Amino acid sequence: MTSRRFSVRVPGKFCTARYAPRGPVPRRRPSFGTGAWRRRAVWLALTIFALFVFPGFVGALAVAQDAAGTTAGVSEIDGLSWMNIRDSSGIRLSDYRFATGDESMFKPRATILWAVLGLEFIGYIAIVTTAIWLIGYALSFRWLDMFSVALRGVADAVTEQIATPIVLVTAASIGAFFVAWFIVRGYHAKATMQVVTMVGVAVLGPVFLAEPLADVLSSDGLLAQGRDLGISVAAGLNGNANPNPSQLVTTMQSDLADNFARQPLQVWNFGHAVDVRPACRSAWSAGVAAGDDGRVITGMKACGDTAAQAKAENPSMGQVATGLMLLVCGGILLIFAMYLGIKVIKAALDTIYHGIMSIFGFAAGGFVYGPTQTFLVRNLVDSFVAAARMTAYTIFLGVYVLFMGNLFAQARGQVMAVIIIAGTVEIVAIFQLKRLSSSLSRGNDWIANRFSLTIQGSQTKSSSSGAMALGMGGGGGNASSGMGFVSSLGALNTINSSPVTAWLAGGTINPFNPLANTRRSIERSTGRILASREQGYVEHQLSRTNWRRVAVTAATQAGGMHTQLGVSRALKALRDNKVPESRVHHVLLASGARHEMVNHSLAALSTQESTVSQNPYGFAPLQKAIATAWAVDNHVGHEAHDAFAAQAVIAADSFVRHSNAPAPGAAIDHAFVQRVESNWHSDRALRAAITPDEWNGAGRDTRWAIGHRAATMHQDAAQTYYANPTDINRDALMQSARRVANLDHLDPEGGLDPWNP
């Protein structure tokens, strides 16, 4: 026989009792945590990849380092040299070097650090250089030259096919019909506005159709002018009274290179920025331009910065951590640059798109009243707003570069702290740029809506009260994406509930609803279902009557429904008769129980079920008796204390019923029983007085006599406390619970207990 310990979980208490399993206890095979080791291996591999492999991958895309590393004029990272990003001293970022001391096979620690720092350096320079190049490349419009000729050809071809005399005459005739219709209906103001609009389209159309994308792709077009205006404003903020837009993009790149590449690299390599000393600045620039690590370190010694020389010749693990921080900050800068570059390129491409779409408006759509005129207005407004977008984005970048430049200037050598702050600022800048873009889009729609309302002859009052022009749809200035989504859901619901949709779906009503096919099959057998429901209703009424009879009978045996013990008895009887949980509360109330008593009984029963051990090998009646006794002790003063006491009585009664009593006239070793009863109040005394062999040698009826007497005494203690809940009676109940726990053996070597067969 084996025994195990179980825990009773009671709020505010923790007690341990024992149970004797009724059968062999299965042994669990030891688990070596295969899944846990696999997860640890995966995390270790990811950590190694993030620390060592990933920076190498990023740099390997662009690195082509010379073998000796001492030849002057040779680029350190040839794959980045074509970007031609230079700092304020004219040194290309692709020529930057991370200068260290001599590495050899006899210095394994320094060699390993050199390899790790080299990988991080290559990755950081590649990321920062790409980010700075992307910002300048997007603002320079050099990317537009790659396909400007093709776009001009497409626009000219579309113009030749659309802007024909037949299309023009047809569109003008349709527009004249609207003028006549307005006059007949008495809308003279609308007729006049339609005539003015047609004349304006006829005058401006030939000018636009001659070169549809001239204002977009030309060097002095709307986009270029917006870019130049933004750069000029940004230069003015930086103190330049006579800015040259063609040179300021390069100046911005140089400032970004100094702040995000040159100074951080010096702090990373030497522990501080060496540019604060003019001699060291020149020495570092000369050594990097020459591509010689030794010359860089010698230059630091020559300019008197011995601390920088010592730091470079003795790399440490702290520099590895610094490299990781710079990689993260460089990645954030790259994200910011990509987001800004995409916004700038998207603004230009949107303008090209709207320029091509304007061809259809000037060729035909602008003459026709309604959505087609709105379409032309939106395309024209979008083209002008794109220039405003370009100006706003450029000013945004200029203010950002100005802020970062001043931040680095005020740092006074605290470059790493500023780098961390810069990463935070870049994250905030991304969200601010997104808000700026959204506000420009809303303003674009609002302007287009107002122009369209004016062309369509709407009244000023209606146009200022949120009215939408024909053809604006949900994109007006007062519309929101949320309402558009809600409108789409409403349209989908209308389609779903349409009879036509039901016919197309084979007779399934609301086919988009979940379980629509299941409901259809159920509805096909409506008659049978109604009959079964009627029969179920009759059976339910009979069941409710029987349930109330069971509850009242059980409560009457314990004092009636007006007592807490009676309600608890009725609750147990309903549970024993498999009454659904959803019906128990209503049946008890219908049987005459008070609402408070029912709630208290349910709370006490829930506490018993949540605290009793769930081990399948335990003696359930014994476990419930101990658990309810501890619940009583832990809920003194609780409003449902009477219910806990009643639940202890019910559990004790069940314990007695399930404890085997010796047969009448059975042979009982009374001396053994006397020895057990003299020591059963203490687990230690009982184990000292009765050996396992004596337990195994005692007869079954002798052990059953002890167990049945202990159960009966526990029942008396529970009933006494329920009838008179005093501290003395509660102590007696807890003493009985400990007695029962002591008799239930703790370990397998303890022998048979009083409840074993």
Side-chain angles (χ1 to χ4, degrees):
M1 195 251 351
T2 57
S3 301
R4 292 291 184 270
R5 182 185 296 270
F6 73 91
S7 299
V8 180
R9 301 181 302 277
V10 181
K13 293 285 186 178
F14 181 86
C15 67
T16 302
R18 296 154 299 172
Y19 69 90
R22 299 306 192 256
V25 179
R27 295 186 179 271
R28 296 180 58 187
R29 292 185 177 180
S31 175
F32 296 99
T34 304
W37 280 107
R38 185 183 295 111
R39 289 193 295 271
R40 293 174 184 174
V42 171
W43 278 110
L44 179 61
L46 291 176
T47 303
I48 295 175
F49 178 83
L51 290 177
F52 305 108
V53 182
F54 175 71
F57 282 167
V58 175
L61 297 176
V63 66
Q65 185 175 2
D66 59 298
T70 59
T71 304
V74 177
S75 175
E76 175 72 11
I77 307 177
D78 294 334
L80 301 178
S81 59
W82 62 272
M83 296 183 185
N84 197 29
I85 304 300
R86 299 176 181 269
D87 58 20
S88 58
S89 298
I91 306 300
R92 292 188 303 181
L93 268 62
S94 59
D95 292 337
Y96 278 7
R97 309 182 68 86
F98 193 94
T100 57
D102 295 334
E103 295 81 25
S104 66
M105 295 291 292
F106 302 100
K107 297 180 180 180
R109 181 178 180 274
T111 303
I112 293 175
L113 286 176
W114 171 80
V116 175
L117 291 172
L119 289 174
E120 291 181 342
F121 164 74
I122 292 170
Y124 177 69
I125 292 298
I127 290 175
V128 172
T129 305
T130 303
I132 298 174
W133 170 82
L134 184 59
I135 293 176
Y137 187 71
L139 293 177
S140 66
F141 283 84
R142 292 195 303 268
W143 53 271
L144 197 59
D145 297 336
M146 297 181 180
F147 44 87
S148 60
V149 177
L151 289 174
R152 290 178 185 272
V154 171
D156 293 339
V158 172
T159 303
E160 292 177 359
Q161 297 295 326
I162 299 300
T164 60
I166 298 178
V167 174
L168 178 63
V169 172
T170 303
S173 301
I174 298 175
F177 168 78
F178 281 102
V179 174
W181 175 262
F182 290 147
I183 293 175
V184 171
R185 300 282 295 178
Y187 301 138
H188 302 288
K190 284 189 175 184
T192 303
M193 186 58 65
Q194 173 67 7
V195 172
V196 172
T197 303
M198 293 176 63
V199 172
V201 172
V203 172
L204 297 178
V207 178
F208 177 83
L209 294 175
E211 293 186 18
L213 299 181
D215 284 338
V216 180
L217 301 178
S218 63
S219 58
D220 58 348
L222 291 175
L223 291 178
Q225 291 179 5
R227 189 271 318 267
D228 294 344
L229 176 61
I231 290 178
S232 300
V233 173
L237 294 174
N238 283 276
N240 190 348
N242 298 307
N244 185 355
S246 60
Q247 297 179 356
L248 282 177
V249 174
T250 305
T251 303
M252 284 184 180
Q253 289 180 317
S254 299
D255 293 340
L256 290 173
D258 285 345
N259 295 334
F260 286 95
R262 184 183 179 106
Q263 296 184 29
L265 176 60
Q266 292 178 357
V267 175
W268 184 12
N269 197 168
F270 306 112
H272 59 274
V274 299
D275 283 349
V276 295
R277 298 182 179 183
C280 293
R281 177 185 179 93
S282 300
W284 187 84
S285 299
V288 170
D292 188 352
D293 291 355
R295 184 172 177 179
V296 173
I297 298 176
T298 304
M300 295 299 101
K301 181 179 179 180
C303 71
D305 197 342
T306 57
Q309 176 192 3
K311 187 72 173 179
E313 292 178 344
N314 300 281
S316 63
M317 289 300 297
Q319 291 176 303
V320 176
T322 303
L324 292 177
M325 295 173 58
L326 290 176
L327 279 174
V328 174
C329 296
I332 297 175
L333 174 64
L334 179 61
I335 294 174
F336 171 74
M338 291 179 61
Y339 189 76
L340 179 64
I342 291 174
K343 284 292 183 181
V344 171
I345 294 174
K346 182 178 182 299
L349 295 181
D350 285 345
T351 305
I352 295 173
Y353 165 78
H354 292 298
I356 295 176
M357 291 296 102
S358 299
I359 297 175
F360 297 91
F362 280 111
F367 294 97
V368 181
Y369 176 85
T372 55
Q373 288 180 346
T374 302
F375 179 73
L376 175 59
V377 170
R378 292 192 67 169
N379 289 317
L380 293 177
V381 171
D382 286 344
S383 299
F384 285 97
V385 172
R389 286 179 184 271
M390 194 65 61
T391 303
Y393 294 155
T394 310
I395 294 175
F396 184 90
L397 177 62
V399 172
Y400 171 77
V401 174
L402 169 64
F403 172 74
M404 295 307 302
N406 292 336
L407 197 60
F408 277 96
Q410 298 296 326
R412 296 181 180 179
Q414 300 297 325
V415 178
M416 291 306 301
V418 178
I419 281 288
I420 301 300
I421 297 175
T424 305
V425 172
E426 288 162 0
I427 295 175
V428 175
I430 292 174
F431 290 100
Q432 290 176 338
L433 190 61
K434 183 178 180 181
R435 293 183 59 185
L436 175 63
S437 177
S438 300
S439 63
L440 290 173
S441 298
R442 291 192 298 269
N444 182 21
D445 292 337
W446 183 83
I447 295 173
N449 184 58
R450 294 302 298 267
F451 271 108
S452 299
L453 286 173
T454 303
I455 291 175
Q456 294 170 10
S458 300
Q459 299 295 328
T460 305
K461 181 178 180 180
S462 62
S463 62
S464 62
S465 61
M468 301 297 298
L470 294 176
M472 285 299 299
N478 298 330
S480 64
S481 59
M483 291 303 298
F485 177 73
V486 173
S487 301
S488 300
L489 289 180
L492 181 62
N493 183 61
T494 302
I495 296 174
N496 184 38
S497 59
S498 173
V500 177
T501 305
W503 280 108
L504 294 176
T508 302
I509 300 176
N510 298 331
F512 298 157
N513 287 5
L515 303 178
N517 293 330
T518 303
R519 187 182 67 250
R520 175 190 175 190
S521 61
I522 293 175
E523 291 175 350
R524 286 182 174 179
S525 55
T526 304
R528 179 172 55 83
I529 292 176
L530 291 177
S532 62
R533 286 182 178 177
E534 183 177 357
Q535 181 180 359
Y537 175 77
V538 175
E539 293 177 354
H540 175 66
Q541 295 299 324
L542 295 176
S543 298
R544 292 188 61 183
T545 303
N546 294 332
W547 294 341
R548 288 197 300 268
R549 185 181 299 111
V550 169
V552 171
T553 301
T556 302
Q557 296 174 358
M561 278 292 183
H562 61 282
T563 64
Q564 187 65 64
L565 181 58
V567 175
S568 298
R569 289 281 190 188
L571 174 60
K572 185 178 185 305
L574 293 176
R575 295 282 299 271
D576 293 342
N577 283 272
K578 309 299 181 183
V579 177
E581 296 289 341
S582 60
R583 297 292 181 182
V584 169
H585 191 276
H586 301 288
V587 172
L588 290 175
L589 293 179
S591 301
R594 289 190 300 171
H595 191 273
E596 296 81 3
M597 288 186 175
V598 174
N599 289 339
H600 292 168
S601 296
L602 291 173
L605 180 61
S606 176
T607 301
Q608 170 190 301
E609 293 178 345
S610 62
T611 57
V612 73
S613 174
Q614 303 297 323
N615 194 302
Y617 298 105
F619 188 24
L622 181 147
Q623 296 171 5
K624 292 179 180 179
I626 297 176
T628 53
W630 280 106
V632 168
D633 189 48
N634 287 316
H635 289 82
V636 176
H638 194 274
E639 61 179 359
H641 183 69
D642 291 343
F644 286 100
Q647 195 64 37
V649 173
I650 295 174
D653 293 345
S654 176
F655 184 28
V656 171
R657 287 196 307 271
H658 291 85
S659 296
N660 296 321
I668 299 176
D669 187 351
H670 294 285
F672 182 80
V673 173
Q674 182 63 31
R675 289 172 57 198
V676 172
E677 292 180 352
S678 299
N679 297 278
W680 63 8
H681 296 294
S682 172
D683 180 62
R684 180 176 301 177
L686 184 61
R687 285 188 286 109
I690 310 296
T691 63
D693 293 337
E694 289 179 307
W695 277 110
N696 294 331
R700 184 189 64 176
D701 292 329
T702 300
R703 290 186 286 102
W704 282 3
I706 297 172
H708 189 70
R709 176 170 170 75
T712 305
M713 294 175 65
H714 187 78
Q715 181 186 38
D716 294 339
Q719 292 177 350
T720 301
Y721 179 75
Y722 175 77
N724 187 17
T726 62
D727 293 341
I728 296 176
N729 292 336
R730 187 178 76 254
D731 293 339
L733 176 61
M734 298 310 302
Q735 184 179 9
S736 176
R738 296 188 188 95
R739 180 192 310 127
V740 172
N742 293 335
L743 290 172
D744 190 14
H745 291 165
L746 177 63
D747 54 74
E749 290 77 14
L752 300 175
D753 63 23
W755 294 279
N756 279 116

